[in-house]
Amino acid sequence: MSSKIVITIDGWSSCGKSTLARQLAAVLGYIYVDSGAMYRAITLYFLRNNIDFKKKQEVINALENISLEFIFNPASNKSEIYLNGENVEYLIRDLIIAEKVSEVAAIKEVREFAVRQQKKLGKGKGIVMDGRDIGTVVFPAAELKIFMTADNAIRVQRRFKELYPKNPNISIEEVKNNLEMRDYIDSNREISPLRKADDAVILDNSNLTESEQFEKALGWAKEIIQKKERS
Ligand code: DC
């Protein structure tokens, strides 16, 4: 029997979910899937094609023309997302996308489209996926579920540091407003809102270094994997 497990990492925006997920996947030899990238790529498609996402049929038709794929890039050492054959990994990190993505991710048809693909990616186990509903909806039977959180001010600083080099005109206020808005929509939407799965472990990294949080999470994963190997 394979001792590979499924690890889910959910939590608020800019908690460092993807950093942790990528590190865990690398050391365990697992696939890493950034589910937020899928919602961001769909948002990019909608914006480019002037899709009125308040109109259900327009959304359904648009989704039929969207194909998403993750391809590993050895240069960046990560899987990057392709929208209809185009690498959009860097474009989707823009604040223009961040401003609309929560609205798009709240649409039922969009979630069904993304979740179907996410479930397929987890079929072979050996996967770390981060997002908002991975432990609750996508992989409710995952062996390790982590719910990440951090102080608001710390999250704003982290996101600002990430966006500033690309956009020196950006202000702390803009970043703060965007994070607050996304957290609000993500946790109050009707379908699959962000919430901690009952069996998830909380990882508050406000006062942890990247390596401390990694060691903690790796410890949890190893314990579960070893238990599985013994059974
Ligand atoms: O993780 P991120 O910031 O790249 O996610 C972008 C947006 O996508 C986020 O505001 C909420 C949404 N999202 C979601 O609703 N469900 C997921 N599994 C992942 C992301």
Side-chain angles (χ1 to χ4, degrees):
M1 194 183 72
S2 161
S3 58
K4 287 193 168 175
I5 63 168
V6 172
I7 302 176
T8 66
I9 304 183
D10 291 302
W12 308 99
S13 293
S14 295
C15 270
K17 299 186 295 293
S18 60
T19 305
L20 177 63
R22 200 173 300 125
Q23 289 171 334
L24 285 175
V27 85
L28 295 170
Y30 284 13
I31 323 168
Y32 161 54
V33 177
D34 169 3
S35 71
M38 299 173 82
Y39 295 101
R40 286 171 179 267
I42 294 168
T43 304
L44 175 65
Y45 182 92
F46 284 5
L47 292 180
R48 276 180 173 173
N49 294 281
N50 297 316
I51 305 299
D52 179 352
F53 38 85
K54 304 246 163 11
K55 293 192 179 135
K56 188 175 156 157
Q57 198 52 47
E58 229 176 281
V59 167
I60 294 172
N61 294 345
L63 289 171
E64 275 175 18
N65 294 316
I66 295 180
S67 145
L68 300 176
E69 222 182 332
F70 285 95
I71 299 178
F72 187 76
N73 177 355
S76 64
N77 197 28
K78 66 179 192 188
S79 286
E80 297 180 343
I81 192 159
Y82 284 69
L83 166 64
N84 294 335
E86 175 193 356
N87 184 333
V88 293
E89 180 67 34
Y90 299 93
L91 281 176
I92 59 166
R93 306 292 158 195
D94 220 276
L95 196 57
I96 301 165
I97 302 295
E99 272 164 4
K100 294 283 172 211
V101 64
S102 286
E103 238 179 287
V104 170
I107 302 169
K108 180 170 159 268
E109 290 73 19
V110 168
R111 298 208 73 80
E112 284 168 356
F113 174 86
V115 169
R116 209 178 311 127
Q117 299 186 30
Q118 290 155 8
K119 285 187 184 220
K120 265 195 213 153
L121 290 166
K123 280 254 158 71
K125 297 231 172 194
I127 187 168
V128 186
M129 192 179 287
D130 72 340
R132 304 293 186 288
D133 61 339
I134 311 304
T136 51
V137 174
V138 181
F139 300 127
E143 288 88 346
L144 174 58
K145 298 180 184 176
I146 300 174
F147 189 84
M148 280 179 80
T149 178
D151 287 348
N152 282 10
I154 293 174
R155 295 194 290 125
V156 171
Q157 281 298 337
R158 285 181 188 155
R159 188 59 120 200
F160 180 73
K161 267 195 202 153
E162 186 183 307
L163 292 172
Y164 184 79
K166 283 186 267 175
N167 178 6
N169 293 322
I170 205 164
S171 69
I172 287 263
E173 207 50 33
E174 249 178 303
V175 173
K176 182 170 176 281
N177 290 342
N178 179 256
L179 275 194
E180 282 172 359
M181 179 209 54
R182 286 205 290 144
D183 284 347
Y184 181 81
I185 301 178
D186 295 344
S187 52
N188 286 284
R189 67 180 175 224
E190 212 171 299
I191 311 149
S192 328
L194 167 66
R195 68 168 185 83
K196 178 189 154 305
D198 295 336
D199 50 351
V201 278
I202 293 179
L203 181 57
D204 181 337
N205 65 14
S206 310
N207 299 305
L208 294 180
T209 64
E210 231 172 78
S211 67
E212 283 168 343
Q213 81 166 10
F214 171 64
E215 289 306 327
K216 213 174 214 238
L218 184 62
W220 292 332
K222 280 188 172 163
E223 204 177 302
I224 295 167
I225 294 167
Q226 281 159 7
K227 217 181 253 173
K228 224 177 159 196
E229 276 167 353
R230 284 196 297 267
S231 65

